[in-house]
Amino acid sequence: MESDTVAIIGPQSSVTAHVLSHIANELQVPLLSFAATDPTLSSLQYPFFVRMTQNDQFQMAAIADIVEYYEWRDVIAIYADDDFGRNGIAALSDELAGKRCQISYKAPLDPQATRTEIMDVLVKV
């Protein structure tokens, strides 16, 4: 792999992209990802990582703009309790703070939650 690899293409998740970024750094070949949106995949830490989509920070900035437009100050966040959801909610929290808004309640959902588990989380909200 060390002599024949010219690029790594297509991790479909941010979790996989994190792992492959270490390999790309070691081999010093570009890693092109069309799906990894995690803002912690930065060019400073992973200089060979090339994101081919917008990261969560941009998407959460748009949501924060909507919250600001409607003059809401508190938001309840219901999100998938995995790396995608947790990092997205962290980005949303940062963007809301810049607009003097906040996430007043975080409701994580297991990505494989059953209908009953989803209803239980929604009742808590």
Side-chain angles (χ1 to χ4, degrees):
M1 230 174 106
E2 290 178 17
S3 62
D4 296 334
T5 304
V6 294
I8 302 170
I9 300 174
Q12 294 298 310
S13 73
S14 295
V15 174
T16 306
H18 272 283
V19 173
L20 291 178
S21 288
H22 293 286
I23 295 168
N25 283 355
E26 185 68 30
L27 296 175
Q28 295 189 348
V29 298
L31 168 61
L32 306 174
S33 176
F34 299 97
T37 59
D38 186 347
T40 64
L41 285 164
S42 71
S43 58
L44 293 174
Q45 187 176 4
Y46 303 107
F48 294 95
F49 178 74
V50 180
R51 184 186 324 272
M52 306 299 289
T53 188
Q54 292 183 344
N55 72 30
D56 287 337
Q57 197 75 36
F58 289 106
Q59 296 175 44
M60 296 306 153
I63 292 172
D65 286 343
I66 292 169
V67 169
E68 180 183 43
Y69 176 82
Y70 286 103
E71 299 179 1
W72 300 327
R73 293 288 161 237
D74 293 301
V75 174
I76 294 173
I78 302 171
Y79 62 96
D81 192 15
D82 60 10
D83 286 338
F84 299 118
R86 285 187 297 272
N87 290 332
I89 290 303
L92 178 59
S93 183
D94 291 345
E95 292 296 326
L96 289 172
K99 299 190 180 300
R100 295 181 156 183
C101 302
Q102 67 178 359
I103 297 174
S104 59
Y105 185 78
K106 296 178 183 177
L109 281 173
D110 185 297
Q112 281 79 41
T114 65
R115 183 181 178 99
T116 302
E117 291 168 333
I118 293 169
M119 293 299 294
D120 290 344
V121 168
L122 292 176
V123 167
K124 288 179 186 176
V125 168

